[in-house]
Amino acid sequence: MPGLLRGIARTAVVAGTATAVSNRVSRRQGGRWAEQEAQQQQQAAAAAAPPPPPPPAPAPAPTMADDMSSRIDQLKELGALKEQGLLTEEEFAQQKSKLLGG
């Protein structure tokens, strides 16, 4: 009978140890899976959010040639208005000085 009890006790210890190890492994894997799932959800949320729109491009600065040609055109228009008698000599001089910056 003592041999039988010893065998049963040994089996109980082995089974208890196996159960404890199995439970610990299950909890550890469950934690790892929960972390992976949380990371996947964060990545999915980040991917679903639209990226911020790029800032608008600044308007191109007028080149020196464009600026000069527009001034010349405005001077021609002023000259035409003066020739038609719509501008006096003083008004023409005033507008011309504003246009030329001086």
Side-chain angles (χ1 to χ4, degrees), residues 1-97:
M1 201 60 138
L4 183 63
L5 266 160
R6 188 176 295 153
I8 292 173
R10 184 179 300 147
T11 302
V13 168
V14 169
T17 303
T19 302
V21 169
S22 174
N23 287 340
R24 185 168 182 219
V25 168
S26 293
R27 280 193 305 271
R28 187 183 305 156
Q29 271 202 314
R32 286 182 183 166
W33 289 341
E35 287 177 13
Q36 287 178 352
E37 186 175 325
Q39 287 177 353
Q40 288 174 351
Q41 287 177 352
Q42 287 176 351
Q43 289 173 351
T63 62
M64 190 64 135
D66 289 342
D67 189 38
M68 188 58 74
S69 66
S70 69
R71 286 185 181 182
I72 290 173
D73 291 339
Q74 290 176 351
L75 281 173
K76 287 179 183 177
E77 289 176 17
L78 284 175
L81 290 173
K82 181 184 163 200
E83 286 178 8
Q84 293 173 3
L86 298 174
L87 289 178
T88 64
E89 187 65 41
E90 291 176 8
E91 291 172 331
F92 176 75
Q94 183 182 20
Q95 293 300 320
K96 180 177 147 184
S97 67

